[in-house]
Amino acid sequence: MIDRSALGFPLMSSAAAFSYAPLLPTGPDQTEYRLVTDEGVDVVHGPGGRRFLTVEPAALTALTAEAMHDIAHFLRPAHLAQLRSIIDDPAASPNDRFVALDLLRNANIAAGGVLPMCQDTGTAIVMGKRGRHVLTDGSDAEAISRGVWQAYTRLNLRYSQLAPLTMWEERNTGSNLPAQVEIYAEDPDGHPDAYKFLFMAKGGGSANKSYLYQETKALLNPTRMMQFLEEKLRLIGTSACPPYHLAIVIGGTSAEYALKTAKYASAKYLDALPTSGSMTAHGFRDLELEAEVLELTRNFGIGAQFGGRYFCHDVRVVRLPRHGASCPVAIAVSCSADRQAVAKITPSGVWLERLETDPARYLPDVTDAQLDTSEVVRVDLNRPMDEIRAELSKYPVKTRLSLTGPLVVARDIAHAKIAERLDAGEPMPQYLRDHAVYYAGPAKTPEGYASGSFGPTTAGRMDAYVEKFQAAGGSQVMLAKGNRSAQVTNACQQYGGFYLGSIGGPAARLAQDCIKHVEVLEYPELGMEAVWKIEVEDFPAFIVVDDKGNDFFAEVTKPVLTIGRR
């Protein structure tokens, strides 16, 4: 160690003595693991009696492929137990219980290993901590990426990654690569001969609900903090498929560190943080504020997508140190496709977190009728559009529907192409005049199935097209997930349109139980972004925006508290 005083730089009298703590000190690992393989790892002895763990690239690849498979099909037992608790809670709304039951059924189907739980099978994110006595050939990121490639090309998962060829032109990579791989030189849990990982599959819906706010010291009091959080949390809406695991990070040595900490916290990766701070300035969890924020969200009225208490399963609040001139606040969610798992490589082998392979044990022994007291309106889509709209016009927002008949499927790129045609003076395609439009994009179709996992995508991305399309006679009835902007409500009121909300999350159940036939109508070269026609049976939906200018989400997204000027 260099002696600063010997260099002419004495310790200043006002300086604190040196002390060190990691920014995120976590406690003992309580994870239950299962052995993936004991091949590709070995122990060698080095100078000074040190023991080194050697890890072959094939072991990293095998672990990654197994992890990406598991998190596409299985959930943690704790998450499933939380879904079941909604069904058992007498204070839960009928819509809360209906959504929770559908998500449990979806988990049961996905656990079969054929249909992934969500059609957006996400960006693969891998974070590793490699101990100082772990030896590899140095190609860790490549070996991990090969495992991602194996999983996505061999399973019924969706390719979502776009390669930028120019600033404006993109093309799907056809493999879901690249993955986001980050490797840190750190002895995990103090073990120099261990290599530990966090695997995540982050879909666009929940990734898009990561927020950064640059605040000031003025935020750091209880009243102002709760006002701030009420305003910002309501804005998350439902397009990322609640109930959420919500993470809030207050402070941070940088903006990007606050955001990354929020992502880890939403994955329950930081649950073992200390619960109080110290002068070593490490991060900690504020359990009291977590409980207060959870209760705040239960009073929003948003619930598990269509009204109720269960906007969130739980809340994590992490307090970090900060520069005196900065106070970043990061917010992130993990959605109903709660896809993450931890893993480790040790001298005893390659280990992966044990997820729940038998989610059926969380299903209740009750029928839909016992869980739901609301009226279900059955809507026949095999009718002219004017008749469908006249039927929908009889019912208020939040009415639960069961749809049977044809739907047209179109999302971002297809909407852009159709808008270009309208701008060029071409007519609205007849299929958008005759049928309701479902914003979605399927995962790969397994053999013997009508479709792959085929849940709704975020409606808000199509908001800019609605007025133009409805004025041209199309998109009179829209089906997707999440809330819409005021311009959509206004267009529906002007042109007699409707927006129906579908449950975000149960893509596997929709594919198995509700979607009976799929065919391409236009733009087959776009893959999952093509225009499709599908036949559905008993497809669940809710009226969210009607032809009278009513919007279910308009009231529940308004803060109750008044936030004044600083």
Side-chain angles (χ1 to χ4, degrees):
M1 179 181 293
I2 298 174
D3 184 352
R4 285 178 54 83
S5 61
L7 296 177
F9 298 105
L11 188 70
M12 301 300 292
S13 60
S14 61
F18 174 79
S19 63
Y20 172 78
L23 274 174
L24 296 171
T26 54
D29 184 0
Q30 304 293 334
T31 305
E32 181 182 355
Y33 291 94
R34 65 177 182 87
L35 181 66
V36 175
T37 182
D38 57 6
E39 297 181 359
V41 296
D42 198 5
V43 175
V44 298
H45 296 279
R50 289 180 292 179
R51 190 173 72 159
F52 292 86
L53 175 67
T54 63
V55 180
E56 297 295 328
L60 293 173
T61 297
L63 172 60
T64 302
E66 190 79 0
M68 300 315 296
H69 166 275
D70 280 14
I71 63 179
H73 292 283
F74 307 130
L75 291 158
R76 286 172 166 157
H79 177 87
L80 293 163
Q82 287 175 310
L83 286 172
R84 174 57 188 268
S85 70
I86 296 174
I87 296 171
D88 295 336
D89 182 1
S93 72
N95 285 347
D96 278 339
R97 293 194 291 272
F98 175 70
V99 170
L101 179 61
D102 222 36
L103 291 173
L104 280 175
R105 288 172 171 165
N106 187 71
N108 195 49
I109 294 168
V114 178
L115 294 167
M117 68 183 75
C118 179
Q119 81 287 344
D120 183 350
T121 47
T123 297
I125 300 173
V126 184
M127 186 272 287
K129 295 180 179 180
R130 192 173 78 185
R132 66 186 185 276
H133 290 174
V134 176
L135 303 179
T136 71
D137 70 354
S139 63
D140 298 28
E142 181 179 350
I144 290 167
S145 295
R146 181 176 291 277
V148 172
W149 174 84
Q150 286 184 0
Y152 278 84
T153 56
R154 297 176 183 178
L155 301 172
N156 298 309
L157 309 184
R158 197 175 84 188
Y159 310 140
S160 299
Q161 305 308 308
L162 303 177
L165 304 182
T166 70
M167 181 59 73
W168 321 119
E169 183 185 1
E170 300 174 310
R171 189 172 303 163
N172 195 298
T173 63
S175 65
N176 214 54
L177 292 178
Q180 179 180 318
V181 182
E182 300 175 2
I183 308 296
Y184 296 91
E186 179 180 330
D187 289 352
D189 302 324
H191 297 292
D193 58 350
Y195 203 160
K196 299 194 74 172
F197 302 89
L198 170 65
F199 292 94
M200 302 179 71
K202 197 70 173 172
S206 61
N208 293 344
K209 296 302 178 180
S210 300
Y211 295 103
L212 174 71
Y213 302 98
Q214 296 286 15
E215 297 298 312
T216 70
K217 167 67 175 174
L219 185 66
L220 299 181
N221 68 78
T223 300
R224 173 60 187 156
M225 179 63 72
M226 294 303 286
Q227 290 176 328
F228 171 86
L229 290 175
E230 179 177 20
E231 177 190 29
K232 304 306 183 187
L233 296 180
R234 286 178 182 269
L235 297 177
I236 295 174
T238 62
S239 60
C241 307
Y244 297 126
H245 301 281
L246 171 66
I248 302 165
V249 174
I250 300 160
T253 49
S254 63
E256 63 271 23
Y257 194 82
L259 281 167
K260 185 171 293 188
T261 302
K263 178 179 288 186
Y264 292 160
S266 72
K268 283 69 70 183
Y269 185 74
L270 302 177
D271 278 9
L273 281 177
T275 55
S276 61
S278 75
M279 284 304 295
T280 57
H282 58 75
F284 65 90
R285 285 180 63 186
D286 188 325
L287 302 184
E288 182 178 350
L289 188 53
E290 288 178 3
E292 292 175 5
V293 174
L294 180 60
E295 188 59 28
L296 175 71
T297 65
R298 290 188 170 172
N299 291 321
F300 285 172
I302 299 173
Q305 305 189 29
F306 300 103
R309 287 170 47 81
Y310 282 93
F311 186 62
C312 294
H313 283 302
D314 47 41
V315 178
R316 305 292 188 273
V317 177
V318 177
R319 181 67 158 91
L320 292 177
R322 67 184 185 92
H323 185 286
S326 303
C327 186
V329 177
I331 296 173
V333 297
S334 184
C335 66
S336 58
D338 190 39
R339 295 175 297 201
Q340 59 265 322
V342 295
K344 63 182 179 180
I345 302 177
T346 68
S348 62
V350 179
W351 301 84
L352 179 61
E353 181 177 356
R354 186 182 298 279
L355 302 180
E356 180 57 73
T357 58
D358 183 24
R361 64 192 184 95
Y362 293 92
L363 284 167
D365 295 323
V366 294
T367 65
D368 287 2
Q370 290 171 297
L371 284 174
D372 185 25
T373 58
S374 61
E375 178 187 9
V376 181
V377 176
R378 303 195 178 278
V379 179
D380 180 6
L381 299 175
N382 291 290
R383 293 183 291 172
M385 179 54 65
D386 286 346
E387 291 186 20
I388 295 171
R389 290 193 293 162
E391 176 71 12
L392 294 175
S393 191
K394 299 175 184 177
Y395 302 100
V397 294
K398 221 165 77 169
T399 297
R400 182 177 152 198
L401 309 174
S402 177
L403 310 178
T404 297
L407 292 169
V408 167
V409 178
R411 46 179 284 160
D412 307 62
I413 298 178
H415 274 70
K417 286 182 173 293
I418 293 169
E420 290 173 0
R421 288 158 59 173
L422 294 178
D423 290 340
E426 298 180 33
M428 171 64 65
Q430 193 64 37
Y431 54 73
L432 280 184
R433 291 174 173 270
D434 293 342
H435 302 294
V437 58
Y438 179 36
Y439 303 157
K444 284 181 283 188
T445 301
E447 186 175 352
Y449 286 74
S451 81
S453 293
F454 211 154
T457 195
T458 303
R461 298 204 307 273
M462 269 55 75
D463 282 6
Y465 301 104
V466 172
E467 198 279 334
K468 179 193 293 282
F469 282 25
Q470 289 191 342
S475 295
Q476 297 297 321
V477 177
M478 301 161 286
L479 175 66
K481 67 175 181 177
N483 44 301
R484 308 298 296 261
S485 64
Q487 69 189 98
V488 172
T489 303
N490 295 337
C492 287
Q493 184 175 17
Q494 180 177 357
Y495 297 105
F498 293 83
Y499 166 55
L500 311 181
S502 180
I503 301 172
R509 195 192 77 76
L510 293 175
Q512 176 177 284
D513 298 340
C514 301
I515 299 175
K516 303 304 179 182
H517 178 73
V518 176
E519 62 181 282
V520 176
L521 286 182
E522 196 171 14
Y523 306 123
E525 70 278 8
L526 298 181
M528 68 93 176
E529 290 262 13
V531 177
W532 308 77
K533 184 178 180 181
I534 65 175
E535 291 286 336
V536 301
E537 184 177 300
D538 292 329
F539 193 107
F542 295 79
I543 299 176
V544 176
V545 176
D546 66 13
D547 57 345
K548 306 170 189 66
N550 299 308
D551 176 3
F552 163 66
F553 287 110
E555 289 303 316
V556 297
T557 53
K558 291 179 181 178
V560 174
L561 302 174
T562 301
I563 300 180
R565 293 177 177 270
R566 292 189 205 156

Short mmCIF file of all heavy atoms in Angstrom, two decimals, residues 3-41:
data_model
loop_
_atom_site.label_atom_id
_atom_site.label_comp_id
_atom_site.label_asym_id
_atom_site.label_seq_id
_atom_site.Cartn_x
_atom_site.Cartn_y
_atom_site.Cartn_z
N ASP A 3 1.91 4.84 1.01
CA ASP A 3 1.74 5.74 2.15
C ASP A 3 1.63 7.16 1.61
O ASP A 3 2.62 7.73 1.12
CB ASP A 3 2.91 5.59 3.12
CG ASP A 3 2.73 6.44 4.37
OD1 ASP A 3 1.77 7.25 4.41
OD2 ASP A 3 3.56 6.30 5.28
N ARG A 4 0.42 7.75 1.67
CA ARG A 4 0.21 9.09 1.11
C ARG A 4 1.09 10.12 1.81
O ARG A 4 1.57 11.07 1.18
CB ARG A 4 -1.27 9.50 1.24
CG ARG A 4 -2.17 8.81 0.22
CD ARG A 4 -3.62 9.22 0.43
NE ARG A 4 -3.82 10.66 0.42
CZ ARG A 4 -3.96 11.40 -0.68
NH1 ARG A 4 -3.91 10.83 -1.85
NH2 ARG A 4 -4.15 12.70 -0.59
N SER A 5 1.30 9.96 3.12
CA SER A 5 2.12 10.95 3.83
C SER A 5 3.55 10.94 3.32
O SER A 5 4.23 11.98 3.29
CB SER A 5 2.09 10.68 5.34
OG SER A 5 2.63 9.41 5.62
N ALA A 6 4.03 9.77 2.88
CA ALA A 6 5.38 9.68 2.34
C ALA A 6 5.48 10.41 1.01
O ALA A 6 6.59 10.79 0.58
CB ALA A 6 5.79 8.22 2.17
N LEU A 7 4.34 10.60 0.33
CA LEU A 7 4.34 11.31 -0.95
C LEU A 7 4.07 12.80 -0.76
O LEU A 7 3.95 13.54 -1.73
CB LEU A 7 3.26 10.73 -1.87
CG LEU A 7 3.47 9.26 -2.30
CD1 LEU A 7 2.29 8.81 -3.14
CD2 LEU A 7 4.76 9.10 -3.07
N GLY A 8 3.98 13.21 0.48
CA GLY A 8 3.73 14.63 0.72
C GLY A 8 2.26 14.99 0.75
O GLY A 8 1.92 16.17 0.66
N PHE A 9 1.36 13.99 0.85
CA PHE A 9 -0.07 14.25 0.89
C PHE A 9 -0.63 13.72 2.20
O PHE A 9 -1.16 12.61 2.27
CB PHE A 9 -0.80 13.58 -0.28
CG PHE A 9 -0.37 14.07 -1.63
CD1 PHE A 9 0.45 13.29 -2.43
CD2 PHE A 9 -0.76 15.32 -2.08
CE1 PHE A 9 0.85 13.73 -3.66
CE2 PHE A 9 -0.36 15.77 -3.32
CZ PHE A 9 0.46 14.98 -4.11
N PRO A 10 -0.48 14.43 3.27
CA PRO A 10 -0.97 13.94 4.56
C PRO A 10 -2.50 13.86 4.56
O PRO A 10 -3.18 14.58 3.83
CB PRO A 10 -0.47 14.99 5.55
CG PRO A 10 -0.33 16.23 4.73
CD PRO A 10 0.12 15.79 3.37
N LEU A 11 -3.04 12.95 5.39
CA LEU A 11 -4.48 12.83 5.55
C LEU A 11 -5.02 14.14 6.13
O LEU A 11 -4.52 14.63 7.13
CB LEU A 11 -4.79 11.67 6.50
CG LEU A 11 -6.24 11.26 6.63
CD1 LEU A 11 -6.72 10.62 5.34
CD2 LEU A 11 -6.41 10.28 7.80
N MET A 12 -6.02 14.71 5.48
CA MET A 12 -6.60 15.96 5.94
C MET A 12 -7.29 15.73 7.29
O MET A 12 -7.90 14.68 7.52
CB MET A 12 -7.61 16.50 4.93
CG MET A 12 -7.00 16.74 3.54
SD MET A 12 -5.65 17.94 3.56
CE MET A 12 -6.53 19.43 3.94
N SER A 13 -7.23 16.69 8.16
CA SER A 13 -7.76 16.51 9.52
C SER A 13 -9.26 16.28 9.53
O SER A 13 -9.79 15.65 10.44
CB SER A 13 -7.43 17.75 10.37
OG SER A 13 -8.02 18.91 9.79
N SER A 14 -9.97 16.77 8.47
CA SER A 14 -11.42 16.60 8.44
C SER A 14 -11.85 15.30 7.77
O SER A 14 -13.04 15.00 7.72
CB SER A 14 -12.08 17.78 7.69
OG SER A 14 -11.60 17.83 6.35
N ALA A 15 -10.91 14.54 7.23
CA ALA A 15 -11.26 13.33 6.49
C ALA A 15 -11.58 12.18 7.44
O ALA A 15 -10.98 12.05 8.50
CB ALA A 15 -10.11 12.93 5.57
N ALA A 16 -12.53 11.36 7.03
CA ALA A 16 -12.86 10.16 7.79
C ALA A 16 -11.80 9.10 7.54
O ALA A 16 -11.15 9.07 6.50
CB ALA A 16 -14.23 9.63 7.38
N ALA A 17 -11.64 8.24 8.49
CA ALA A 17 -10.72 7.11 8.31
C ALA A 17 -11.25 6.21 7.21
O ALA A 17 -12.45 6.11 6.97
CB ALA A 17 -10.59 6.34 9.62
N PHE A 18 -10.34 5.51 6.54
CA PHE A 18 -10.74 4.64 5.44
C PHE A 18 -11.61 3.50 5.95
O PHE A 18 -11.30 2.86 6.97
CB PHE A 18 -9.51 4.05 4.73
CG PHE A 18 -9.87 3.04 3.69
CD1 PHE A 18 -10.31 3.45 2.44
CD2 PHE A 18 -9.81 1.68 3.95
CE1 PHE A 18 -10.67 2.52 1.48
CE2 PHE A 18 -10.17 0.75 3.00
CZ PHE A 18 -10.59 1.17 1.75
N SER A 19 -12.69 3.24 5.25
CA SER A 19 -13.51 2.07 5.50
C SER A 19 -14.15 1.69 4.18
O SER A 19 -14.37 2.54 3.31
CB SER A 19 -14.59 2.33 6.56
OG SER A 19 -15.48 3.34 6.12
N TYR A 20 -14.46 0.43 4.01
CA TYR A 20 -15.02 -0.03 2.74
C TYR A 20 -16.18 -0.99 2.99
O TYR A 20 -16.12 -1.85 3.88
CB TYR A 20 -13.97 -0.76 1.90
CG TYR A 20 -14.56 -1.42 0.67
CD1 TYR A 20 -14.88 -0.66 -0.45
CD2 TYR A 20 -14.86 -2.77 0.66
CE1 TYR A 20 -15.46 -1.23 -1.56
CE2 TYR A 20 -15.45 -3.36 -0.45
CZ TYR A 20 -15.74 -2.59 -1.56
OH TYR A 20 -16.32 -3.17 -2.65
N ALA A 21 -17.22 -0.82 2.19
CA ALA A 21 -18.31 -1.80 2.11
C ALA A 21 -18.78 -1.81 0.67
O ALA A 21 -18.81 -0.77 0.01
CB ALA A 21 -19.46 -1.40 3.03
N PRO A 22 -19.12 -2.96 0.14
CA PRO A 22 -19.69 -2.98 -1.21
C PRO A 22 -20.98 -2.18 -1.24
O PRO A 22 -21.70 -2.07 -0.24
CB PRO A 22 -19.93 -4.47 -1.48
CG PRO A 22 -19.97 -5.11 -0.13
CD PRO A 22 -19.06 -4.30 0.75
N LEU A 23 -21.27 -1.59 -2.42
CA LEU A 23 -22.48 -0.78 -2.53
C LEU A 23 -23.74 -1.61 -2.27
O LEU A 23 -24.72 -1.10 -1.73
CB LEU A 23 -22.55 -0.14 -3.92
CG LEU A 23 -21.83 1.20 -4.09
CD1 LEU A 23 -21.85 1.64 -5.55
CD2 LEU A 23 -22.46 2.27 -3.22
N LEU A 24 -23.71 -2.86 -2.66
CA LEU A 24 -24.89 -3.71 -2.49
C LEU A 24 -24.48 -4.99 -1.76
O LEU A 24 -24.32 -6.06 -2.37
CB LEU A 24 -25.51 -4.05 -3.86
CG LEU A 24 -26.06 -2.87 -4.65
CD1 LEU A 24 -26.45 -3.30 -6.05
CD2 LEU A 24 -27.26 -2.24 -3.93
N PRO A 25 -24.29 -4.91 -0.45
CA PRO A 25 -23.87 -6.09 0.30
C PRO A 25 -25.06 -7.03 0.56
O PRO A 25 -26.01 -6.68 1.24
CB PRO A 25 -23.36 -5.51 1.62
CG PRO A 25 -24.13 -4.23 1.78
CD PRO A 25 -24.42 -3.72 0.40
N THR A 26 -25.03 -8.21 -0.03
CA THR A 26 -26.14 -9.14 0.14
C THR A 26 -25.77 -10.23 1.14
O THR A 26 -24.59 -10.56 1.32
CB THR A 26 -26.54 -9.78 -1.19
OG1 THR A 26 -25.39 -10.38 -1.79
CG2 THR A 26 -27.09 -8.73 -2.14
N GLY A 27 -26.76 -10.78 1.77
CA GLY A 27 -26.56 -11.81 2.77
C GLY A 27 -26.38 -13.19 2.17
O GLY A 27 -26.17 -13.34 0.96
N PRO A 28 -26.47 -14.23 2.99
CA PRO A 28 -26.26 -15.60 2.52
C PRO A 28 -27.25 -16.00 1.44
O PRO A 28 -28.40 -15.56 1.43
CB PRO A 28 -26.46 -16.44 3.79
CG PRO A 28 -26.26 -15.49 4.92
CD PRO A 28 -26.73 -14.15 4.44
N ASP A 29 -26.79 -16.83 0.52
CA ASP A 29 -27.62 -17.33 -0.58
C ASP A 29 -28.52 -18.45 -0.06
O ASP A 29 -28.05 -19.50 0.36
CB ASP A 29 -26.70 -17.85 -1.70
CG ASP A 29 -27.48 -18.30 -2.92
OD1 ASP A 29 -28.72 -18.20 -2.92
OD2 ASP A 29 -26.84 -18.75 -3.89
N GLN A 30 -29.84 -18.21 -0.08
CA GLN A 30 -30.81 -19.20 0.41
C GLN A 30 -31.48 -19.97 -0.73
O GLN A 30 -32.45 -20.70 -0.51
CB GLN A 30 -31.89 -18.48 1.23
CG GLN A 30 -31.36 -17.65 2.38
CD GLN A 30 -30.74 -18.51 3.47
OE1 GLN A 30 -31.09 -19.68 3.63
NE2 GLN A 30 -29.81 -17.94 4.22
N THR A 31 -30.96 -19.83 -1.95
CA THR A 31 -31.58 -20.44 -3.12
C THR A 31 -31.52 -21.96 -3.07
O THR A 31 -30.50 -22.54 -2.68
CB THR A 31 -30.88 -19.95 -4.40
OG1 THR A 31 -30.88 -18.52 -4.42
CG2 THR A 31 -31.56 -20.48 -5.65
N GLU A 32 -32.58 -22.61 -3.53
CA GLU A 32 -32.55 -24.05 -3.74
C GLU A 32 -32.13 -24.31 -5.18
O GLU A 32 -32.76 -23.83 -6.12
CB GLU A 32 -33.92 -24.67 -3.48
CG GLU A 32 -33.92 -26.19 -3.67
CD GLU A 32 -35.29 -26.83 -3.47
OE1 GLU A 32 -36.23 -26.10 -3.08
OE2 GLU A 32 -35.40 -28.05 -3.72
N TYR A 33 -31.04 -25.07 -5.35
CA TYR A 33 -30.49 -25.33 -6.68
C TYR A 33 -30.72 -26.78 -7.08
O TYR A 33 -30.95 -27.66 -6.24
CB TYR A 33 -28.98 -25.07 -6.69
CG TYR A 33 -28.59 -23.61 -6.55
CD1 TYR A 33 -28.29 -23.06 -5.30
CD2 TYR A 33 -28.50 -22.78 -7.67
CE1 TYR A 33 -27.91 -21.73 -5.18
CE2 TYR A 33 -28.13 -21.46 -7.55
CZ TYR A 33 -27.83 -20.93 -6.31
OH TYR A 33 -27.47 -19.62 -6.19
N ARG A 34 -30.63 -27.02 -8.38
CA ARG A 34 -30.59 -28.38 -8.91
C ARG A 34 -29.34 -28.52 -9.78
O ARG A 34 -28.89 -27.56 -10.41
CB ARG A 34 -31.84 -28.70 -9.72
CG ARG A 34 -32.00 -27.88 -11.00
CD ARG A 34 -33.23 -28.31 -11.79
NE ARG A 34 -33.38 -27.57 -13.04
CZ ARG A 34 -32.82 -27.94 -14.18
NH1 ARG A 34 -32.04 -29.01 -14.24
NH2 ARG A 34 -33.02 -27.24 -15.29
N LEU A 35 -28.79 -29.72 -9.82
CA LEU A 35 -27.57 -29.97 -10.59
C LEU A 35 -27.92 -30.10 -12.07
O LEU A 35 -28.77 -30.90 -12.45
CB LEU A 35 -26.89 -31.25 -10.10
CG LEU A 35 -25.58 -31.62 -10.80
CD1 LEU A 35 -24.50 -30.59 -10.51
CD2 LEU A 35 -25.12 -33.01 -10.36
N VAL A 36 -27.25 -29.30 -12.90
CA VAL A 36 -27.41 -29.39 -14.34
C VAL A 36 -26.43 -30.40 -14.92
O VAL A 36 -26.80 -31.29 -15.69
CB VAL A 36 -27.22 -28.01 -15.01
CG1 VAL A 36 -27.26 -28.11 -16.53
CG2 VAL A 36 -28.27 -27.02 -14.51
N THR A 37 -25.17 -30.29 -14.52
CA THR A 37 -24.13 -31.21 -14.99
C THR A 37 -22.91 -31.05 -14.11
O THR A 37 -22.71 -30.00 -13.48
CB THR A 37 -23.77 -30.95 -16.46
OG1 THR A 37 -22.79 -31.90 -16.89
CG2 THR A 37 -23.20 -29.55 -16.66
N ASP A 38 -22.11 -32.10 -14.06
CA ASP A 38 -20.81 -31.98 -13.40
C ASP A 38 -19.67 -32.09 -14.41
O ASP A 38 -18.51 -32.22 -14.05
CB ASP A 38 -20.65 -33.03 -12.30
CG ASP A 38 -20.82 -34.46 -12.82
OD1 ASP A 38 -20.95 -34.64 -14.04
OD2 ASP A 38 -20.84 -35.38 -11.98
N GLU A 39 -20.04 -32.01 -15.69
CA GLU A 39 -19.03 -32.05 -16.75
C GLU A 39 -18.57 -30.64 -17.09
O GLU A 39 -19.32 -29.67 -16.95
CB GLU A 39 -19.60 -32.73 -17.99
CG GLU A 39 -19.98 -34.19 -17.78
CD GLU A 39 -20.53 -34.83 -19.03
OE1 GLU A 39 -20.64 -34.12 -20.07
OE2 GLU A 39 -20.84 -36.03 -18.99
N GLY A 40 -17.35 -30.54 -17.54
CA GLY A 40 -16.81 -29.25 -17.97
C GLY A 40 -16.24 -28.42 -16.85
O GLY A 40 -15.85 -27.27 -17.08
N VAL A 41 -16.17 -28.98 -15.63
CA VAL A 41 -15.57 -28.26 -14.51
C VAL A 41 -14.54 -29.18 -13.85
O VAL A 41 -14.71 -30.40 -13.80
CB VAL A 41 -16.62 -27.80 -13.48
CG1 VAL A 41 -17.57 -26.79 -14.10
CG2 VAL A 41 -17.41 -28.96 -12.92
#
